[in-house]
Amino acid sequence: MEGECECSREFFLFILAGLVEIGGGYLIWLWLREGVSFCYGIMGSLILVLYGIIPTLQDFPYFGRVYAAYGGVFIILAVFWGWAIDKKIPDFYDGLGALISPIGVSVMLWGPRT
């Protein structure tokens, strides 16, 4: 039961980090590319600072491994963000890439090591 709880916490932190990074980046995108208020850029920047903090809450000991594994989670979240927020329907290759990425994440985080 304890391992289950820890895995849920790790998963939650990966999802939270992804949503914060994409959300902050999206606000800056809106400011610079879509011409919305400068306040969007400020808010996006502050949210991205939060993104820099969230991965440090992971229990995995290596920075590179956490960020590389997070990248796989980010791929999935970015595809869903584009679909839900930008209303851009993912094509076959978007879906295929999103399906493949959890395999890489799993290998990096839980592969047997000596």
Side-chain angles (χ1 to χ4, degrees):
M1 183 81 169
E2 187 176 310
E4 225 177 274
C5 182
E6 189 62 29
C7 187
S8 297
R9 179 180 178 275
E10 294 162 354
F11 182 74
F12 171 76
L13 288 172
F14 277 126
I15 298 298
L16 181 61
L19 291 174
V20 169
E21 183 187 13
I22 294 167
Y26 187 68
L27 292 175
I28 291 174
W29 177 280
L30 290 175
W31 166 50
L32 293 174
R33 300 281 301 259
E34 306 292 331
V36 300
S37 169
F38 174 72
C39 294
Y40 280 65
I42 296 297
M43 184 60 82
S45 298
L46 294 173
I47 291 170
L48 286 172
V49 168
L50 198 62
Y51 159 68
I53 295 169
I54 293 169
T56 68
L57 303 175
Q58 288 285 6
D59 289 331
F60 299 106
Y62 304 111
F63 173 85
R65 190 174 296 153
V66 168
Y67 272 78
Y70 160 72
V73 174
F74 178 85
I75 290 168
I76 297 165
L77 291 174
V79 169
F80 280 117
W81 184 281
W83 192 0
I85 305 300
D86 265 349
K87 308 295 185 221
K88 305 295 183 208
I89 299 172
D91 66 16
F92 173 79
Y93 294 102
D94 296 328
L96 183 60
L99 284 173
I100 292 170
S101 66
I103 296 167
V105 168
S106 297
V107 169
M108 288 189 298
L109 291 180
W110 298 293
R113 293 185 169 85
T114 55

